[in-house]
Amino acid sequence: MLLGVGIAVYNSILSNSAVHVSGLIGSEKQPFFDDIRVQERLKELGYVVEYQKAGSRQIATSFDLSSYDYAFPAGLPAAEKIKREVPGSKSFNPFFTPMAVASWKPLVDVLEANNLSKQEKGYYSLDMQAYLNTFQQKTRWKELENNPDFSINKRLMINSTDVRKSNSAAMYLALASYVLNANNIVKSEGEINNLFPAIAEIFTQQGFIEGSSAQPFNDYLLMGMGKAPLVMIYESQYIYQAANDGIDDDMVLLYPKPSLFTKHVFIGFNEDGKQLGLPLETDPELQKLAIEHGFRNSNMKYFDEFINQHNISLPKRLVNVIEPPAYEYIESIITKIEQQY
């Protein structure tokens, strides 16, 4: 009993002496900050971190950032916008994750049979050029060859979050715009105007879409193949689920080819925020905990150990990786899409 009281007093002293830092985060990082091990390590380093969740684009465009100590969005475009909005801010790069498409083994077999997917060394790739060609042809699942178990009238498409709010959808937009632009990063309004009808259809044809990256993945986990045959997610979501609650044997990841990383950029606005950024980027314990939440970082040795420990099949290294367009061009496309709703 006395030991418990002593620990409580010690924790109270730590909390009272710690720097309280508040900011905005993308929803995909909530499990990391809610992890008691992360909270205790941050306390040991002198911080109590408070957060408010929001879509990464919303963080960049819809908040009075002067009210916060930091922002921690997903994706370079949102981070670049935020840094411009707050002169004197400082950025850190704690971790990153590839974009991936959550699917199902029976469907991957169908995609392979129709030259849309390919089995690589220990993982599956998704040919984005072939997929977008099929999507533009308005192909339905029942029209695919060698498809005995999913011959339904649903249109073949990747579901995503709301591109008006969420980074994961913005990264899908970045991939699609690159492929549709003859494998070139979009860098002019003229290119945007030429590509826009094809890009807009990717999002407007989905119907109702969620603003948070957590919800489409939850639909995938809970509602199954019929509701969510192909879902654009962060690789980190899949790894965290597989390592903690487990995944069904039929669940599988497809890696877009070309691929794209989402960098999770921490931006400190004032001295308290800037001081927090450094341990998030460099503290070995926090870096290991980030890996256990599915993120990749500079400690690739531990990342490899962790995924091997949990028998998760994924590429250790991705080679065919592109960069997203500059913030102005992504924002221009999204603004045009907003006008379609």
Side-chain angles (χ1 to χ4, degrees):
M1 185 65 179
L2 288 175
L3 177 61
V5 171
I7 291 173
V9 170
Y10 174 70
N11 285 336
S12 176
I13 292 171
L14 276 178
S15 180
N16 290 334
S17 63
V19 176
H20 286 249
V21 188
S22 65
L24 296 158
I25 68 168
S27 62
E28 68 286 333
K29 289 181 282 288
Q30 181 181 2
F32 174 75
F33 283 108
D34 284 350
D35 189 328
I36 189 64
R37 299 172 299 168
V38 172
Q39 294 173 4
E40 290 300 322
R41 180 56 181 160
L42 287 168
K43 280 184 183 179
E44 290 172 3
L45 295 169
Y47 302 96
V48 172
V49 178
E50 300 164 355
Y51 68 79
Q52 180 179 341
K53 287 191 305 178
S56 293
R57 182 170 182 255
Q58 290 177 302
I59 295 174
T61 60
S62 303
F63 285 87
D64 177 7
L65 299 177
S66 66
S67 302
Y68 301 92
D69 300 309
Y70 71 88
F72 203 176
L76 286 176
E80 180 60 31
K81 167 67 172 174
I82 292 166
K83 286 191 287 185
R84 295 181 191 180
E85 292 294 314
V86 186
S89 59
K90 185 174 182 180
S91 62
F92 301 85
N93 297 286
F95 37 74
F96 64 95
T97 189
M99 300 308 300
V101 177
S103 189
W104 307 84
K105 187 60 173 67
L107 300 186
V108 173
D109 291 341
V110 175
L111 296 175
E112 279 194 278
N114 288 268
N115 299 313
L116 295 167
S117 178
K118 181 181 178 182
Q119 188 163 8
E120 309 280 354
K121 294 181 179 179
Y123 70 98
Y124 293 95
S125 62
L126 177 68
D127 185 329
M128 287 299 293
Q129 181 69 69
Y131 162 73
L132 288 170
N133 289 343
T134 303
F135 176 79
Q136 289 178 314
Q137 293 164 8
K138 298 179 170 53
T139 302
R140 299 184 181 273
W141 282 98
K142 68 179 184 180
E143 297 170 345
L144 296 178
E145 298 179 2
N146 300 313
N147 184 15
D149 300 321
F150 202 65
S151 184
I152 64 172
N153 199 39
K154 194 171 188 175
R155 187 171 173 180
L156 173 66
M157 71 170 66
I158 297 171
N159 290 103
S160 71
T161 49
D162 190 337
V163 73
R164 298 168 295 177
K165 300 176 182 178
S166 171
N167 174 75
S168 59
M171 294 300 97
Y172 181 17
L173 183 156
L175 277 171
S177 68
Y178 178 87
V179 174
L180 292 169
N181 197 35
N183 293 325
N184 291 291
I185 296 171
V186 171
K187 52 186 178 182
S188 75
E189 286 295 326
E191 290 176 343
I192 289 172
N193 291 334
N194 289 335
L195 301 173
F196 181 73
I199 294 174
E201 188 180 20
I202 291 169
F203 299 98
T204 58
Q205 290 301 306
Q206 291 186 45
F208 177 78
I209 42 182
E210 299 283 351
S212 164
S213 58
Q215 192 56 53
F217 187 60
N218 287 340
D219 288 348
Y220 169 77
L221 295 173
L222 299 176
M223 299 183 186
M225 187 165 64
K227 173 67 171 70
L230 297 168
V231 183
M232 184 67 67
I233 67 167
Y234 298 117
E235 178 198 66
S236 56
Q237 294 175 282
Y238 187 93
I239 294 174
Y240 182 69
Q241 177 69 26
N244 287 273
D245 298 323
I247 55 173
D248 292 347
D249 290 342
D250 276 349
M251 291 178 173
V252 66
L253 278 188
L254 295 161
Y255 286 82
K257 200 171 185 179
S259 188
L260 185 147
F261 291 134
T262 283
K263 295 180 181 178
H264 294 271
V265 182
F266 181 95
I267 305 155
F269 300 147
N270 52 34
E271 286 309 308
D272 289 344
K274 293 174 187 178
Q275 289 176 16
L276 174 60
L278 186 61
L280 285 172
E281 184 178 72
T282 62
D283 180 70
E285 187 171 340
L286 289 175
Q287 288 281 284
K288 282 190 172 184
L289 289 170
I291 288 170
E292 292 178 20
H293 280 267
F295 298 107
R296 300 184 184 221
N297 54 36
S298 59
N299 190 352
M300 289 307 297
K301 180 180 179 181
Y302 185 66
F303 179 82
D304 292 346
E305 291 174 2
F306 184 75
I307 61 173
N308 289 337
Q309 175 188 346
H310 293 282
N311 297 313
I312 304 170
S313 296
L314 50 81
K316 302 292 181 68
R317 309 290 184 271
L318 289 165
V319 177
N320 189 1
V321 179
I322 66 166
E323 293 293 336
Y327 171 78
E328 289 85 355
Y329 300 121
I330 280 199
E331 184 62 20
S332 176
I333 298 170
I334 295 173
T335 300
K336 291 178 187 294
I337 292 173
E338 281 182 316
Q339 296 167 1
Q340 302 288 309
Y341 283 92

